[in-house]
Amino acid sequence: MSPRRTRRAHDAAFQRCVNPDCSKTFDLGQVLSSCPSCGELLDVAYDWDRLEPPRRLQDISRARRGVRERLDGSGVWRFRALLPFAPEDSCVTIGEGRTLLRPAPRVAEYVGLRPDRVFLQYEGMNPSGSFKDNGMAGAFTHARMVGAKVAACASTGNTSASLAAFAAATGDMKAVVFIGSGKIAMGKLSQALEYGARTFEIEGDFDDAMARVLEVSREAGIYLVNSVNPFRLEGQKTIMYRILEGLGWHAPDWVLCPGGNLGNSSAFGKAFAELAELGLLKRLPRLAVINATGARTLSRLVNQEGLRWNGGRYDRARVNEFFRTLAERAHTIASAIEINRPVNLSKCLRALEVTNGVVRDCSDEEILDAKAVVGLEGIGCEPASAASVAGLKRLVGEGAIDRDAVVACVLTGHLLKAPEATIGYHSCDGSLARYGLGPGRFPNRPVRVPNDLEKILEAVRAAQ
Ligand SMILES: *Cc1c(COP(=O)(O)O)cnc(C)c1O
Ligand SMILES: [Zn+2]
């Protein structure tokens, strides 16, 4: 790439406020977590006329000539033609996004769809075990462009694991992590500690930690990698590109994902909106965002209060009132989505409008049963991930999803993130009672046998 083209590509990408009545733009060198003028979220925006977007869907992952192989090995940067905000030598990768769309006939049977039409996009196979690595590649790239030296996040666990892994692997930045006390799954905490992140337990939950990290990063000039960072969402768009790729460049009818801070759903909506804008996709998949019942702000606002994006003029006063009067704390075994104040709410409303999307909430029982069925595919996901499958079952049961539909569920994180939930479920040891959970539908209890050959043989035969 000639220096001249690099500069052109650079100028053609910028940041823009999502509020249509503001629409202020900012150049890429500014580090912002919201619009300084109106307080809304920012997008990374592109002037596609000055770039070279692919002309056919099947070309979106084609490597451009002369490009270093390093980037083509990344499941994020091999799609860089659709997130062209960084010069190629600034792009950070630790091997994120090498994930596959997998057929899931048992899940299909469980939810009542055709066995060859249900797919799982298993993002647990990322370097730190969750989809967050897709976004972190984008955030670290921007951080490198602006020369940041310290990065921070508030986290239910996976963002901190991803931040810590990227910081350690690249040596670019120091990592500072804020978690709610006692609110983090063991696997995730182990990662932050092992990868050397400075870890602070705030007395409180994720929503408390999130509010604090916004203040801390502003006061201390620390680079924030939570999903209010628009560069993170650019990386997460690629999860959708890989689903399209996995389906031979055909769009599924539905994409389902869990909804926590709503960064993923927002990124997915942006990915599809841009593909439509570029004329690469005529019919967009419908998005279903699934909350846990114990953390169902989005579901309440959309389904009970009728909140809509409304071309960007959504009822902000009503949202503020909702949060002002929200007294209860989020509570669900799906700790990655145990969030009552989702920071990307407005962008998610936009994604729902663009994709004619829906929102549902599922109980912890439904989520853990769905997770056990996913497990029978030989795919291990953490509780929050299984919300997408639980939501699928519910939407098929309601008749909202057609029985012939082609469906992709995003499995956001790896089983080993939260082994305590899985063992509690299968062993029925009562440890999940604090979530109000009794025995589930698909337990697989370990069998205790004395150390005696006859008795062991007897038990093995009985199990067949
Ligand atoms: C972060 C996370 C979520 C929630 O994603 P949002 O983008 O915050 O809605 C869901 N599942 C897992 C495993 C996560 O790590
Ligand atoms: Zn603005």
Side-chain angles (χ1 to χ4, degrees):
M1 210 186 230
S2 72
R4 191 169 161 273
R5 285 224 354 239
T6 307
R7 191 165 60 245
R8 259 186 63 198
H10 206 119
D11 291 341
F14 51 94
Q15 302 181 76
R16 182 173 59 208
C17 176
V18 301
N19 176 359
D21 294 324
C22 172
S23 291
K24 288 219 165 48
T25 61
F26 308 92
D27 69 38
L28 295 180
Q30 283 184 268
V31 180
L32 301 164
S33 48
S34 58
C35 173
S37 172
C38 76
E40 258 292 355
L41 297 167
L42 300 172
D43 269 331
V44 180
Y46 304 101
D47 185 353
W48 293 111
D49 292 340
R50 299 169 57 201
L51 294 158
E52 286 171 29
R55 293 178 192 285
R56 300 182 314 164
L57 196 54
Q58 52 268 51
D59 292 339
I60 69 176
S61 84
R62 184 177 290 176
R64 280 182 269 162
R65 255 185 306 153
V67 155
R68 283 190 277 161
E69 210 177 301
R70 180 181 79 93
L71 293 187
D72 296 338
S74 159
V76 167
W77 298 115
R78 67 193 173 86
F79 298 103
R80 61 196 170 282
L82 292 175
L83 47 151
F85 66 84
E88 276 162 10
D89 52 9
S90 297
C91 292
V92 175
T93 176
I94 64 167
E96 63 288 331
R98 293 180 185 166
T99 60
L100 291 177
L101 189 69
R102 297 181 48 174
R106 288 166 203 84
V107 169
E109 189 192 341
Y110 177 62
V111 302
L113 291 179
R114 294 177 42 171
D116 56 345
R117 300 206 176 175
V118 175
F119 299 87
L120 302 174
Q121 178 64 26
Y122 182 37
E123 292 296 314
M125 290 308 291
N126 267 287
S128 81
S130 84
F131 78 83
K132 298 293 197 304
D133 293 339
N134 295 283
M136 209 55 71
F140 261 66
T141 295
H142 181 246
R144 184 178 279 181
M145 289 165 69
V146 299
K149 292 285 169 271
V150 187
C153 70
S155 184
T156 61
N158 281 332
T159 305
S160 59
S162 183
L163 166 58
F166 270 81
T170 62
D172 277 8
M173 292 194 287
K174 290 208 162 45
V176 179
V177 160
F178 293 84
I179 55 178
S181 53
K183 285 292 191 177
I184 185 171
M186 290 303 252
K188 306 177 187 182
L189 180 58
S190 332
Q191 289 177 290
L193 299 176
E194 185 88 349
Y195 304 151
R198 261 262 152 265
T199 304
F200 297 95
E201 277 193 51
I202 308 277
E203 290 165 38
D205 62 9
F206 173 82
D207 292 315
D208 298 315
M210 185 70 226
R212 289 300 180 202
V213 79
L214 279 164
E215 295 168 346
V216 169
S217 63
R218 200 167 45 230
E219 295 289 318
I222 294 175
Y223 190 87
L224 187 64
V225 299
N226 278 102
S227 51
V228 289
N229 181 323
F231 299 92
R232 237 192 74 184
L233 301 199
E234 290 304 288
Q236 288 167 215
K237 292 192 305 192
T238 64
I239 301 168
M240 295 302 103
Y241 307 151
R242 295 197 294 275
I243 288 179
L244 295 172
E245 183 180 48
L247 294 174
W249 306 112
H250 294 290
D253 298 306
W254 286 87
V255 169
L256 295 96
C257 69
N261 235 350
L262 306 178
N264 239 0
S265 44
S266 298
F268 300 168
K270 185 170 190 281
F272 290 132
E274 288 170 349
L275 290 176
E277 184 191 340
L278 291 169
L280 297 174
L281 205 56
K282 299 280 177 295
R283 184 185 56 84
L284 301 188
R286 296 182 68 186
L287 191 62
V289 185
I290 313 300
N291 278 161
T293 301
R296 57 173 164 164
T297 292
L298 182 70
S299 175
R300 280 208 179 131
L301 285 171
V302 169
N303 296 326
Q304 289 171 19
E305 311 249 337
L307 186 71
R308 295 292 180 274
W309 170 246
N310 189 25
R313 298 184 178 92
Y314 67 93
D315 192 341
R316 290 180 169 79
R318 169 174 271 185
V319 172
N320 291 339
E321 183 59 14
F322 181 90
F323 286 129
R324 207 182 56 75
T325 54
L326 180 70
E328 74 260 31
R329 298 259 159 195
H331 186 60
T332 166
I333 193 161
S335 61
I337 53 174
E338 190 178 43
I339 296 173
N340 260 353
R341 296 170 182 271
V343 295
N344 287 294
L345 175 65
S346 61
K347 283 185 179 177
C348 179
L349 293 174
R350 182 177 66 177
L352 292 169
E353 179 163 293
V354 167
T355 63
N356 189 19
V358 301
V359 180
R360 291 293 183 274
D361 59 85
C362 290
S363 68
D364 284 6
E365 283 91 342
E366 290 172 270
I367 288 173
L368 287 193
D369 286 337
K371 175 175 163 302
V373 175
V374 169
L376 295 173
E377 300 278 5
I379 299 176
C381 69
E382 64 170 282
S385 311
S388 53
V389 172
L392 176 58
K393 183 167 173 58
R394 186 173 273 243
L395 286 163
V396 172
E398 283 175 16
I401 292 185
D402 200 85
R403 299 216 167 247
D404 289 328
V406 175
V407 169
C409 291
V410 179
L411 297 183
T412 44
H414 200 286
L415 174 80
L416 298 176
K417 294 282 192 172
E420 56 280 5
T422 307
I423 293 168
Y425 180 87
H426 286 295
S427 65
C428 307
D429 60 2
S431 62
L432 304 185
R434 68 194 171 103
Y435 295 99
L437 288 165
R441 288 175 60 193
F442 311 107
N444 181 18
R445 286 187 202 85
V447 181
R448 299 203 76 155
V449 277
N451 187 7
D452 174 296
L453 182 58
E454 277 310 308
K455 296 241 163 63
I456 293 171
L457 284 172
E458 209 174 287
V460 169
R461 289 195 187 106
Q464 269 160 27

